[in-house]
Amino acid sequence: CHVTQRFCAMHMLALALAALSQPGGRGGAPAAAPLHQVVEQVFDTDKDGKVTLSEITTTLDGLAAISGMGMAGGAGGAGGGGDAASEMAAKIRAAKRFAPQLIKLMDVDSSGTLSRSELKWLSQAHKRMKSSLKDLAQGVFDAIDADADDSLSPQEQTAALSQPVLGAVVGLLETDPIKPPALSASIEEAATAENLRAAVALLDGDGDGSVSRKEAYRAVAAFKKQFLEAATLLETMGPMLAMFGGAARGGGGGAGGGLGRG
């Protein structure tokens, strides 16, 4: 029954909007589970213990569709629900743009999927992201900027893909608590170099081939902001997002399972 579906969508959306309106996102309540477990619960739609970009996109699209149903049904009433619903839609769009970058940092074996062991980095990174990344960003930039002109030229970026610069960059990352799995000495050097190439390319905001210090710092700050916003959304509404995904796929959700794993 379309009426029943619309009522359920509006009800779940109202609960989500109420959660978003709470001070601090969670009203001071502790997270129900570590971030990596919440991510698996929400996005591992086929329950195979792995998360793919397709699963992430499909789940977010389902949430966006159900959010739209709630808004069309009048969820944006006098209580400011319309503004909160618009905020949710913006967060969903940002999460879709951010997902490919994050997966690249975590996909150690370049399989295109994130295993439970790879997902565990999310909880580790979440703790680190709450403090400043400026010193780490400065150290990595300085290691690549051979002529110290505050710009990473295409030649310097190429040099960073081989020793000794690659080793210096990886060493800085491995001594920091963030330790991105795809930029590690524990994997093949060729894979690490390719992952570093992709990561540095993301810093080139104007696409001119060179990366200024300002561009690099701005990109790192934007990455941190997107990560923390996505983490807050998932911590606040993880089980509810799983229900949204189940409803959008025509299933029964799955909010009650999955958090006990990993």
Side-chain angles (χ1 to χ4, degrees):
C1 173
H2 292 297
V3 174
T4 301
Q5 290 176 347
R6 182 178 291 274
F7 174 80
C8 290
M10 290 175 63
H11 178 65
M12 287 192 291
L13 180 61
L15 291 173
L17 298 181
L20 279 175
S21 67
Q22 293 295 320
R26 290 170 294 169
L35 182 60
H36 68 278
Q37 291 183 1
V38 177
V39 168
E40 182 182 348
Q41 182 201 31
V42 172
F43 295 113
D44 180 18
T45 56
D46 59 7
K47 304 305 175 188
D48 66 347
K50 299 177 181 180
V51 173
T52 67
L53 180 59
S54 177
E55 286 177 314
I56 293 172
T57 301
T58 299
T59 301
L60 291 174
D61 284 344
L63 174 57
I66 292 178
S67 298
M69 287 175 61
M71 292 169 68
D83 290 342
S86 296
E87 180 184 348
M88 183 190 293
K91 288 181 182 294
I92 293 169
R93 290 193 298 270
K96 288 179 67 175
R97 292 193 301 268
F98 181 56
Q101 301 176 32
L102 191 58
I103 288 175
K104 186 71 175 175
L105 278 178
M106 299 167 60
D107 187 13
V108 176
D109 58 6
S110 301
S111 64
T113 65
L114 297 179
S115 65
R116 287 175 185 163
S117 61
E118 289 171 331
L119 285 171
K120 286 182 178 180
W121 177 76
L122 287 170
S123 296
Q124 172 183 320
H126 189 203
K127 294 178 181 178
R128 177 65 177 90
M129 292 282 186
K130 293 177 181 178
S131 57
S132 175
L133 297 178
K134 184 176 180 180
D135 288 346
L136 176 62
Q138 179 177 329
V140 171
F141 191 97
D142 289 345
I144 301 174
D145 185 20
D147 59 9
D149 67 347
D150 288 332
S151 178
L152 306 182
S153 66
Q155 294 75 21
E156 287 172 326
Q157 293 176 46
T158 299
L161 306 183
S162 57
Q163 301 296 348
V165 182
L166 179 61
V169 171
V170 170
L172 286 168
L173 294 171
E174 290 207 318
T175 56
D176 187 274
I178 198 166
K179 297 180 182 177
L183 295 172
S184 167
S186 64
I187 64 176
E188 292 289 335
E189 184 172 304
T192 303
E194 171 56 25
N195 293 335
L196 179 61
R197 183 202 63 75
V200 172
L202 291 173
L203 305 179
D204 186 10
D206 58 14
D208 68 352
S210 296
V211 179
S212 70
R213 189 177 293 273
K214 183 180 292 185
E215 277 182 311
Y217 290 1
R218 186 185 301 124
V220 170
F223 180 88
K224 175 180 174 178
K225 181 175 183 290
Q226 291 175 324
F227 185 101
L228 291 176
E229 286 182 349
T232 297
L233 181 66
L234 287 166
E235 285 183 324
T236 303
M237 299 187 299
M240 193 173 301
L241 284 169
M243 286 192 292
F244 275 143
R249 293 187 299 273
L259 284 181
R261 299 176 296 177

